[in-house]
Amino acid sequence: MNNRLYGNLIFELSQPGRKGYSLPKNRFGDYTVPQELRRKEDAELPECDEMTVVRHYTNLSANNFGVDNGFYPLGSCTMKYNPKINEEVAALPQFQNLHPLQPAETTRGAEAVCTLLCRALCELTGLHAFTLKPFAGAHGELTGLMIIRRYHESRGDAQRRLVIVPDSAHGTNPASAAVCGLEIVEVKSLSDGTVDMDALRLLLDEHGQEIAAMMMTNPNTLGLFERQIPEIAKLVHEAGGLMYYDGANLNPMLGACRPGDMGFDVMHINLHKTFSTPHGGGGPGAGPVGVRKGLEEFFPEVSPYHGNFAVAMRAYAYILSLGRDYLKYVGPLATLNANYIKEQLKDVYELPIDGLCKHEFVFDGLKDKSTGVTTMDVAKRLLDYGYHAPTIYFPLLFHESLMIEPTENESLETIDGFIAVMRQIAEEAKSDPELVKSAPHNTPIGRVDDVLAAKHPVTTYKQLKNEQD
Ligand SMILES: *Cc1c(COP(=O)(O)O)cnc(C)c1O
């Protein structure tokens, strides 16, 4: 780690008059920006030589952690390996240089990719039709709920405005329902984390005529397979509602079972999660929405053209490169890896809900609570050992949630290495709790003040300068 350069902003490396560029000759004749449109003073831009720029950004990039650097067990996010062939295919000039407005007869290949991808997604999910337009999972949820709303309206059933959401749901579920102008009713989970059927029956008895849909993810947010889905779907359908599947957790089902066969009517898929597009830092993504036969006429226009085409390209490359023969191992291997880690660690970490999990599971902090070492401390200490931290303090069902999702690609050696480090940290928590509480020690930046960063973010260089003055 280059600590000398780290922490400097490119502005701080600036030297007046230093230049690291030469612009190409103007290819457009004598055209210059009209005087009245020019700025009156020079922009405050950093002035650096080329080597300084190269080193600055290369060093910054080396501080980044990605799945190509090391193990990334971030629960709920499916940070799986993204095969490089996907990038190559998406970057083929024939696809990359397309313009959405070029004549249709010149884009037949791209259209075929979209059609074939939709067909593959139908086969993998057991649904009838897909739209590739939504740009992310949450956008897919909104799109799916718009479809459900229009479906009810088309039947003169516009009073159906309630969406049932389990209390363990991802935050985007209630948020999407609210954005769609619908209201949320929460249904409680049992102590094992699955939907409380009695509570659901009561809810449907009370609000049957107003229910638009129930949103669920399976495996649920605790990584548990909801066995009652066929019964839940039956109850919701009888009440006149539709079943929405949040497909962010599709990975462990891939090749093993299909939402369409379980009774779901509408779903989205996070292509960037299950079908391998690099998506750390919030993008890019794609959230195609699939529907049961008859609902495709309600597809709304949520984006121009074909959505995030490059992500669709990657997903299609991924599906073809694994093929039918190997896609069927994705879910089972992801499940095996998660269960292996859980079983190897549950004597030192608190496992609030025991039993078979799917792709992920949740610990409620260290088993020994007497040390005062929290989930946050464990997560920070993991960074010292070169691992990305798991998801922490989500789901909200437990105080010290630590949510681990290994994905199918990790080798036994990688997983054993992670288990050894998790055990080592549990040991340190007993023998030297301060070491864990003050971690990380080996990263360029130590422990940051999250609250201050959230409440008082410094986002511009000027602001930073003024703060220091
Ligand atoms: C990631 C995730 C989402 C949201 O997906 P985005 O693509 O980030 O918008 C929704 N539900 C669950 C369960 C998720 O894990």
Side-chain angles (χ1 to χ4, degrees):
M1 185 58 49
N2 190 334
N3 281 318
R4 191 178 57 78
L5 282 182
Y6 187 83
N8 283 338
L9 300 177
I10 189 79
F11 287 91
E12 292 166 329
L13 300 171
S14 176
Q15 296 294 336
R18 197 66 65 80
K19 272 205 172 72
Y21 66 88
S22 60
L23 293 178
K25 283 216 175 65
N26 181 354
R27 289 191 290 128
F28 304 102
D30 283 340
Y31 186 82
T32 51
V33 178
Q35 200 61 43
E36 67 275 19
L37 294 181
R38 294 193 199 178
R39 51 190 317 141
K40 307 276 178 296
E41 297 153 24
D42 286 346
E44 264 190 73
L45 297 175
E47 299 176 85
C48 297
D49 57 280
E50 185 168 337
M51 264 291 29
T52 299
V53 173
V54 168
R55 289 188 179 140
H56 176 70
Y57 287 107
T58 305
N59 284 321
L60 272 184
S61 76
N63 288 332
N64 232 348
F65 191 97
V67 75
D68 290 352
N69 299 91
F71 189 42
Y72 205 134
L74 193 68
S76 186
C77 296
T78 308
M79 301 301 282
K80 66 160 79 175
Y81 171 61
N82 308 290
K84 301 299 167 270
I85 179 106
N86 300 354
E87 301 302 314
E88 276 175 44
V89 170
L92 286 174
Q94 296 89 330
F95 292 118
Q96 196 178 38
N97 297 336
L98 286 176
H99 191 284
L101 289 180
Q102 73 189 61
E105 64 270 20
T106 66
T107 59
R108 297 278 187 249
E111 277 169 32
V113 167
C114 294
T115 308
L116 291 168
L117 174 61
C118 285
R119 204 179 288 166
L121 296 179
C122 286
E123 191 178 325
L124 288 164
T125 58
L127 288 171
H128 174 71
F130 266 85
T131 168
L132 297 180
K133 284 179 179 284
F135 286 123
H139 199 202
E141 291 169 26
L142 175 63
T143 306
L145 291 168
M146 287 165 81
I147 293 167
I148 291 171
R149 228 183 114 160
R150 288 172 70 178
Y151 162 78
H152 288 308
E153 282 167 5
S154 78
R155 294 158 46 95
D157 232 358
Q159 85 290 351
R160 292 190 178 272
R161 304 188 76 80
L162 290 185
V163 179
I164 305 174
V165 178
D167 59 1
S168 63
H170 194 271
T172 50
N173 289 189
S176 303
V179 171
C180 194
L182 300 167
E183 282 163 50
I184 299 109
V185 268
E186 207 175 76
V187 60
K188 294 256 168 292
S189 317
L190 294 173
S191 58
D192 74 351
T194 58
V195 168
D196 181 340
M197 295 299 286
D198 291 336
L200 178 65
R201 283 199 188 88
L202 271 177
L203 240 168
L204 290 170
D205 280 348
E206 202 176 325
H207 298 290
Q209 293 302 310
E210 300 155 76
I211 300 296
M214 175 156 182
M215 297 180 88
M216 291 190 74
T217 186
N218 190 26
N220 67 16
T221 300
L222 295 171
L224 301 174
F225 195 84
E226 293 269 5
R227 288 164 198 277
Q228 302 278 12
I229 298 264
E231 177 65 14
I232 293 172
K234 185 166 156 272
L235 293 174
V236 171
H237 286 149
E238 277 170 7
L242 294 183
M243 288 293 287
Y244 184 89
Y245 178 63
D246 174 344
N249 290 345
L250 186 66
N251 207 50
M253 308 234 288
L254 211 55
C257 53
R258 310 190 303 172
D261 300 337
M262 295 177 189
F264 287 103
D265 306 292
V266 183
M267 72 173 289
H268 78 266
I269 297 177
N270 300 54
L271 288 188
H272 43 296
K273 291 181 179 170
T274 312
F275 295 99
S276 77
T277 284
H279 63 281
V289 167
V291 294
R292 190 173 290 294
K293 195 169 169 59
L295 289 173
E296 65 275 21
E297 61 181 285
F298 303 111
F299 280 159
E301 290 294 319
V302 293
S303 70
Y305 319 119
H306 291 289
N308 213 341
F309 178 66
V311 175
M313 266 322 299
R314 289 180 178 92
Y316 191 54
Y318 176 74
I319 289 172
L320 284 192
S321 57
L322 287 187
R324 257 197 206 93
D325 291 347
Y326 292 96
L327 270 176
K328 67 174 183 239
Y329 292 113
V330 169
L333 283 176
T335 301
L336 177 65
N337 285 352
N339 279 284
Y340 179 72
I341 296 177
K342 169 172 68 68
E343 290 303 312
Q344 298 282 324
L345 289 176
K346 71 177 186 185
D347 60 324
V348 281
Y349 289 86
E350 183 75 44
L351 182 65
I353 297 171
D354 206 350
L356 195 68
C357 67
K358 293 298 156 190
H359 59 310
E360 63 193 1
F361 60 92
V362 183
F363 283 136
D364 189 8
L366 280 158
K367 204 158 197 172
D368 182 356
K369 304 281 187 231
S370 70
T371 63
V373 170
T374 63
T375 277
M376 174 67 88
D377 303 328
V378 172
K380 295 291 185 193
R381 185 67 178 141
L382 270 171
L383 307 182
D384 280 339
Y385 288 103
Y387 292 93
H388 196 282
T391 295
I392 56 172
Y393 299 108
F394 177 82
L396 306 175
L397 300 170
F398 313 112
H399 289 300
E400 292 290 328
S401 290
L402 186 74
M403 190 183 197
I404 297 174
E405 176 179 4
T407 86
E408 66 279 8
N409 302 97
E410 302 299 341
S411 69
L412 182 59
E413 292 73 24
T414 301
I415 288 180
D416 279 341
F418 175 72
I419 290 167
V421 161
M422 286 290 281
R423 297 192 72 86
Q424 168 81 19
I425 294 172
E427 209 36 61
E428 290 170 355
K430 279 195 197 126
S431 59
D432 188 0
E434 262 322 299
L435 176 72
V436 187
K437 284 188 201 189
S438 53
H441 307 283
N442 305 336
T443 52
I445 294 179
R447 206 174 283 211
V448 292
D449 185 336
D450 298 337
V451 177
L452 188 69
K455 296 216 157 163
H456 191 54
V458 176
T459 51
T460 66
Y461 176 57
K462 274 216 173 112
Q463 200 183 345
L464 189 71
K465 243 183 11 184
N466 294 339
E467 309 255 310
Q468 283 169 349
D469 287 347

